[in-house]
Amino acid sequence: LIAPGEIRAPIVVAIDMPRDRMGAYGLSDRERGNSVVAQTKYGPVGTHAHAYSQWVAETLVPWIDARYRTQADAKGRTILGWSLGGLNAFDLGWNYPEVFGHVGAFSPSFWLSADPTNEATTERTRLAQTIVLSNPKHAPLHAYFAAGTAEEDSDRDHDGKIDVIDDAEDVAAALRKRG
């Protein structure tokens, strides 16, 4: 696509995974300036998500823009991630729409919930879905979610569809509902 001039050559910035990826990756509330922490069987997830997302958007992106010939606006930037990194990519696109115009989340960890007591409370209190549905006004977010049909076998709501697919579809539906 580059050779025939159909697209400009992209600048790809690969950020090394933080030592504490469970703490750094996650969801945040930019307006309140805090992380949205999920208690999981693996321990807390997202304890430093606000600081990490803020660093990416407010320190790393301007540093890249100052040193390279970027298209320095949201239309020219895409943030991608996988698993917890996909959740964090969504967080960056959601909280910094003036920085990132496009999000790619692959096998995103949209299963994180406020109450993991049992399958029903987990389903009802999933954080990403709640964040989208509780914010009626938001800048448009161009998102691409991808997940494989054989990634896992968990089916929290017993509908015959694995959770990673259900969760991504539910976030996408919530985004469409909010425009």
Side-chain angles (χ1 to χ4, degrees):
L1 294 175
I2 297 167
E6 293 181 42
I7 65 168
R8 290 179 22 191
I11 297 170
V12 177
V13 177
I15 306 168
D16 196 13
M17 183 173 60
R19 281 191 187 126
D20 177 18
R21 75 180 183 89
M22 298 286 280
Y25 295 157
L27 297 166
S28 63
D29 184 334
R30 180 181 180 189
E31 191 173 302
R32 290 189 175 101
N34 62 14
S35 298
V36 178
V37 180
Q39 298 300 326
T40 73
K41 65 182 179 181
Y42 309 107
V45 173
T47 54
H48 307 290
H50 174 69
Y52 181 76
S53 290
Q54 187 176 35
W55 172 80
V56 170
E58 297 177 9
T59 302
L60 181 61
V61 169
W63 188 90
I64 298 296
D65 286 344
R67 286 160 179 77
Y68 298 93
R69 287 184 28 190
T70 64
Q71 182 180 335
D73 59 25
K75 289 188 319 187
R77 289 195 201 96
T78 301
I79 184 80
L80 305 171
W82 169 72
S83 191
L84 284 174
L87 178 71
N88 193 246
F90 168 77
D91 183 68
L92 281 157
W94 179 261
N95 281 304
Y96 295 91
E98 76 282 5
V99 178
F100 297 102
H102 309 277
V103 171
F106 304 90
S107 304
S109 295
F110 289 147
W111 56 270
L112 294 177
S113 71
D115 183 357
T117 304
N118 56 51
E119 290 177 335
T121 60
T122 297
E123 183 76 14
R124 194 173 53 254
T125 65
R126 290 171 297 164
L127 295 172
Q129 293 82 342
T130 301
I131 287 169
V132 173
L133 291 173
S134 66
N135 288 279
K137 289 200 168 224
H138 195 275
L141 177 66
H142 301 272
Y144 176 82
F145 303 150
T149 58
E151 289 189 34
E152 61 170 330
D153 56 16
S154 298
D155 183 12
R156 221 178 14 253
D157 61 358
H158 310 287
D159 67 349
K161 193 183 304 179
I162 60 172
D163 292 338
V164 68
I165 302 290
D166 263 344
D167 296 340
E169 287 179 347
D170 289 348
V171 172
L175 288 167
R176 281 191 293 277
K177 184 177 183 177
R178 292 295 178 220

